[in-house]
């Protein structure tokens, strides 16, 4: 007896994945999307904040530290 069982997870469409942090989109390159967007620098990170359109809020990704240190003699 063969049963066809399909999972609802497999049938859902795939959507683009965004890394959300406190309602902010994490991106490498930030753009001001409207005239109300403000560019802020806090602790070496650039933020885009918009009071009119909260979906414009963005934060710059931090560069990863190198785990390996190379020493040449």
């Amino acid at each position: 007896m063969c049963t066809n069982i399909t999972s609802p997870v497999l049938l859902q469409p795939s959507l683009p994945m965004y890394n959300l942090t406190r309602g902010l989109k994490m991106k490498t390159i930030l753009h001001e999307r409207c005239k109300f967007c403000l560019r802020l620098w806090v602790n070496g990170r650039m933020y885009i904040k918009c009071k009119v359109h909260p979906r414009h809020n963005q934060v710059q990704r931090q560069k990863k530290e190198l785990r390996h240190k190379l020493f040449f003699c």
Side-chain angles (χ1 to χ4, degrees):
M1 223 167 129
C2 181
T3 59
N4 263 342
I5 299 174
T6 57
S7 173
V9 175
L10 296 175
L11 298 176
Q12 292 181 1
S14 63
L15 299 173
M17 298 294 286
Y18 290 109
N19 292 335
L20 294 176
T21 306
R22 294 186 219 146
L24 302 172
K25 292 180 184 173
M26 292 187 74
K27 295 187 174 185
T28 54
I29 299 172
L30 305 182
H31 299 286
E32 296 173 355
R33 297 176 60 189
C34 69
K35 64 180 180 179
F36 302 107
C37 290
L38 299 174
R39 186 176 295 207
L40 305 169
W41 286 91
V42 178
N43 295 331
R45 279 183 140 181
M46 186 167 58
Y47 290 84
I48 301 289
K49 298 292 271 182
C50 186
K51 292 183 179 180
V52 178
H53 304 287
R55 66 180 174 263
H56 293 176
N57 294 342
Q58 305 166 31
V59 63
Q60 186 179 31
R61 288 183 191 254
Q62 284 184 331
K63 294 180 181 177
K64 291 185 179 179
E65 295 290 328
L66 293 177
R67 294 184 184 184
H68 305 288
K69 294 183 180 181
L70 298 176
F71 295 101
F72 295 102
C73 298

